[in-house]
Amino acid sequence: MDYTTSLTEAELEKVRYAKGALPPKGHMYYPVYIPENIHLEEAIKKGIKDTCKNMLAPVPLIGVKAMRWVAKSIPKWAEKKRNKSNQSLSGTADQNAGGNRHRRWRFQIYLWCLSSGSICDP
């Protein structure tokens, strides 16, 4: 935010104890120290390394292995559900998934399109 916002006590209580998948549980975080020179290069390199590590995890339920598994499974799912088109699979992702899950799902659809040789609408 580019400007300061003030909250009433009731609004602050509502925000601090919000419900959801990862609720804040009343915890508040704020910067204690802000350095004058911020080294973005180091942060970017660390972020890329962490992302690569997570995407190349040995567990088949996350990362690249999961994308490959889903890409291989989509044709099987399409055969099981012949009444629904492949476009409805991406529609489900649009409605239910958010953030990175949605991007990964779209990438999996893209991989499936490439592997099946069909033309998919982005």
Side-chain angles (χ1 to χ4, degrees), residues 12 14 18 24 29 42 47 49 57-58 67 71 91 108-109 114 120-121:
L12 184 61
K14 184 177 180 182
Y29 300 96
E42 294 174 15
K49 285 180 183 178
M67 286 187 214
Q108 291 162 0
I109 296 283
L114 287 179
C120 292
D121 226 358

Side-chain angles (χ1 to χ4, degrees), residues 11-51:
E11 291 171 332
L12 184 61
E13 288 291 322
K14 184 177 180 182
V15 172
R16 285 183 63 194
Y17 297 99
K19 306 257 188 266
L22 299 170
K25 299 178 186 171
H27 302 290
M28 292 181 67
Y29 300 96
Y30 55 90
V32 178
Y33 169 73
I34 300 174
E36 290 182 23
N37 297 327
I38 300 173
H39 303 289
L40 288 179
E41 294 87 15
E42 294 174 15
I44 291 169
K45 288 178 184 177
K46 184 177 185 245
I48 291 171
K49 285 180 183 178
D50 288 348
T51 302

